[in-house]
């Protein structure tokens, strides 16, 4: 393990490297998008058809906010048209990840540039996402057709990050239905996806006709009863985000314990293995989960009162992880690597993107750097 700097001196170097990589990728991706994960550290170029396309757009918005260079804004604004068309033509939109997709592409555009067209598209995405809400179970179904027997009534921890689109839609329209659905969903996630020891299931199944909770399972974790590292990271960030909208103290208190579970299972260099069942050995790390956790811990720390002694603890933990990401996992101008972060894991069980760059890892790493560098207003 190396910690190459003792303080935050790395920040400017890290941002410079990240911007260089983003500039190169603008030249490489052109009007296309990077695939969710790299192959041999190179991102294949894909159409706007994945759950991950907006992470690239979100990075462009972050870069624009950082230095106001119009080239980032111009490309991000072109992406808005692509996201609009995707929703209008219903191109791979029947899943809960509309939150990721439309928060980072369109809500961001509206928040940064007051773009009314982007606001309209994001509101339409929120409306479409509401179709996945099961009233009786009070959950948003993650994947698949609503009548698909395997997926019907299945919620997943990742969905916490899709809820801000709904909270935002209520704040814009004044219609509380989006807020209610998001709040009900997050309370169900807290009750059933979070276990007694504050680890998390990746997924949880409900009988949506009776509302009865059935069982927790995994999709990307090591086993049903283990704790998938990225899921725990989605939990840290996602529950905190719901707290920022609801001010429900139960969410904040639980998030602290979810964060503690995560922090207690980190190896020496502070970058988690792909499943928290592993704390040493040769299994792959997931740098992308670490980057999500940094953002979550920074936001959690921000939400805690000055008198809360955990406020500083979470902030320090986030700094340490970010420092290790920069020192030990970031791409320092290596020509043959497209990502900002190396050594992520997309889906170990499916042998997809294992020990590769993951585009959301790049996004959250860059968001973390921006959080540290400037007074950044969230897109979430
Ligand atoms: N939300 C999908 C993943 O984290 O892989």
């Amino acid at each position: 393990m190396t910690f190459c700097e003792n303080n935050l001196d790395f920040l400017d170097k890290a941002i410079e490297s990240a911007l260089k990589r983003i500039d190169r990728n603008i030249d490489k991706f052109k009007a296309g998008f990077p695939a969710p994960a790299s192959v041999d550290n190179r991102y294949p170029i894909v159409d706007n058809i994945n759950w991950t396309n907006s992470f690239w757009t979100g990075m462009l918005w972050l870069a624009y906010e950082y230095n106001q260079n119009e080239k980032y804004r111009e490309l991000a604004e072109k992406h808005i048209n692509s996201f609009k068309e995707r929703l209008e033509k219903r191109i791979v939109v029947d899943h809960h990840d509309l939150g990721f997709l439309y928060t980072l592409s369109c809500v961001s555009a509206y928040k940064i540039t007051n773009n009314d067209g982007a606001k309209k598209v994001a509101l339409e995405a929120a409306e479409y996402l509401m179709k996945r809400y099961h009233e009786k179970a009070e959950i948003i179904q993650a994947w698949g057709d609503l009548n698909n027997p395997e997926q019907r009534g299945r919620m997943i921890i990742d969905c916490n990050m899709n809820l801000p689109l709904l909270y935002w839609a209520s704040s814009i329209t004044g219609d509380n239905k989006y807020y209610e659905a998001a709040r009900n969903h997050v309370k169900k996630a807290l009750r059933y996806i979070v276990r007694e020891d504050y680890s998390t299931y990746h997924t949880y199944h409900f009988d949506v006709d009776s509302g009865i909770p059935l069982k927790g399972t995994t999709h990307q974790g090591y086993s049903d009863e283990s704790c998938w590292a990225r899921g725990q990271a989605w939990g840290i960030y996602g529950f905190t985000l719901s707290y920022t909208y609801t001010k429900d103290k139960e969410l904040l208190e639980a998030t602290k314990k979810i964060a503690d579970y995560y922090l207690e299972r980190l190896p020496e260099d502070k970058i988690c293995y792909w499943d928290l069942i592993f704390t040493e050995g040769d299994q792959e790390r997931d740098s992308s989960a670490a980057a999500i956790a940094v953002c979550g811990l920074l936001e959690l720390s921000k939400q805690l009162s000055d008198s809360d002694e955990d406020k500083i603890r979470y902030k320090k933990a986030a700094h340490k992880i970010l420092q290790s990401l920069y020192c030990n996992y970031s791409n320092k101008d290596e020509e043959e690597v497209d990502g900002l972060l190396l050594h992520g894991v997309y889906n170990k069980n499916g042998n997809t993107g294992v020990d590769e760059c993951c585009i959301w890892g790049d996004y959250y790493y860059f968001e973390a750097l921006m959080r540290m560098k400037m007074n950044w207003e969230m897109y979430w």
Side-chain angles (χ1 to χ4, degrees):
M1 176 196 62
T2 50
F3 282 116
C4 50
E5 312 269 348
N6 287 326
N7 48 39
L8 290 180
D9 289 351
F10 72 90
L11 200 54
D12 288 331
K13 281 190 252 170
I15 292 171
E16 200 187 306
S17 276
L19 281 172
K20 261 195 209 159
R21 184 58 40 192
I22 290 169
D23 287 350
R24 267 184 210 280
N25 285 346
I26 288 177
D27 294 340
K28 172 174 169 170
F29 304 152
K30 299 195 168 61
F33 291 86
S38 64
V39 176
D40 295 331
N41 291 325
R42 292 288 196 196
Y43 285 120
I45 300 171
V46 294
D47 291 335
N48 194 348
I49 53 162
N50 293 103
W51 69 274
T52 50
N53 294 73
S54 61
F55 291 111
W56 173 227
T57 316
M59 288 167 74
L60 297 170
W61 282 125
L62 289 172
Y64 174 66
E65 286 208 273
Y66 176 68
N67 64 13
Q68 285 79 52
N69 188 323
E70 289 293 328
K71 75 177 168 190
Y72 302 120
R73 177 175 171 162
E74 278 164 24
L75 184 53
E77 283 179 342
K78 283 198 186 124
H79 285 188
I80 295 171
N81 297 331
S82 166
F83 282 98
K84 180 171 186 280
E85 183 181 298
R86 178 168 174 179
L87 191 61
E88 280 170 0
K89 295 193 176 155
R90 306 288 190 245
I91 302 168
V92 200
V93 288
D94 288 305
H95 54 74
H96 68 153
D97 289 322
L98 293 172
F100 283 115
L101 290 172
Y102 288 86
T103 300
L104 291 182
S105 60
C106 293
V107 175
S108 51
Y110 172 63
K111 287 186 176 173
I112 300 164
T113 67
N114 220 10
N115 183 326
D116 255 341
K119 174 172 94 172
K120 198 162 163 278
V121 177
L123 288 175
E124 282 163 12
E127 197 61 49
Y128 201 67
L129 179 55
M130 285 294 287
K131 294 188 193 304
R132 305 189 69 76
Y133 182 66
H134 291 284
E135 291 278 350
K136 192 102 183 179
E138 301 181 308
I139 59 130
I140 294 161
Q141 180 176 322
W143 299 315
D145 186 273
L146 294 179
N147 290 317
N148 172 330
E150 267 178 44
Q151 301 302 341
R152 186 168 161 81
R154 189 178 195 184
M155 77 188 311
I156 76 172
I157 182 72
D158 323 26
C159 189
N160 282 18
M161 296 300 294
N162 289 320
L163 303 179
L165 179 68
L166 298 179
Y167 294 121
W168 171 83
S170 275
S171 73
I172 293 292
T173 60
D175 184 341
N176 230 26
K177 71 177 180 186
Y178 312 96
Y179 177 100
E180 295 280 334
R183 196 215 34 217
N184 290 348
H185 176 100
V186 84
K187 294 294 269 186
K188 283 283 160 98
L190 183 56
R191 183 142 175 224
Y192 295 105
I193 279 206
V194 180
R195 304 186 185 106
E196 262 179 37
D197 63 358
Y198 291 92
S199 66
T200 48
Y201 286 112
H202 182 189
T203 89
Y204 202 95
H205 305 251
F206 288 78
D207 177 332
V208 289
D209 300 317
S210 64
I212 291 173
L214 299 173
K215 61 173 179 181
T217 60
T218 199
H219 176 60
Q220 279 152 273
Y222 175 76
S223 70
D224 287 344
E225 293 308 319
S226 73
C227 180
W228 179 48
R230 194 157 65 252
Q232 195 77 1
W234 291 137
I236 298 169
Y237 201 178
F239 281 116
T240 305
L241 290 175
S242 271
Y243 171 75
T244 67
Y245 286 96
T246 62
K247 299 296 172 205
D248 178 340
K249 287 275 184 215
E250 193 192 10
L251 291 174
L252 194 63
E253 288 311 311
T255 310
K256 288 166 82 172
K257 295 187 177 122
I258 293 165
D260 291 342
Y261 185 95
Y262 176 88
L263 292 170
E264 280 158 17
R265 278 157 187 79
L266 297 183
E268 204 189 349
D269 74 355
K270 305 293 175 201
I271 307 303
C272 57
Y273 287 88
W274 67 276
D275 191 296
L276 298 180
I277 200 166
F278 306 112
T279 53
E280 58 183 6
D282 297 332
Q283 290 283 327
E284 293 82 6
R285 308 303 181 90
D286 182 8
S287 61
S288 78
I292 297 160
V294 172
C295 295
L297 290 166
L298 288 174
E299 189 57 36
L300 174 60
S301 168
K302 200 167 158 188
Q303 295 302 323
L304 296 176
S305 66
D306 289 347
S307 60
D308 190 323
E309 59 192 27
D310 289 328
K311 187 177 179 75
I312 300 288
R313 185 165 68 83
Y314 292 130
K315 194 169 177 175
K316 280 191 177 158
H319 290 183
K320 264 219 133 75
I321 299 169
L322 186 58
Q323 192 178 355
S324 182
L325 281 175
Y326 170 67
C327 295
N328 304 315
Y329 294 80
S330 76
N331 175 2
K332 297 180 195 67
D333 306 329
E334 290 166 53
E335 285 284 343
E336 65 285 1
V337 179
D338 285 343
L340 272 53
L341 278 188
L342 294 114
H343 309 304
V345 172
Y346 183 8
N347 185 355
K348 173 92 179 188
N349 298 335
N351 197 22
T352 309
V354 178
D355 196 22
E356 291 286 350
C357 311
C358 298
I359 192 63
W360 60 89
D362 291 354
Y363 169 82
Y364 287 102
Y365 174 64
F366 197 43
E367 183 189 301
L369 295 174
M370 292 300 113
R371 279 176 171 274
M372 298 292 298
K373 185 66 188 171
M374 56 188 195
N375 195 8
W376 180 69
E377 294 291 329
M378 290 197 291
Y379 309 150
W380 306 104

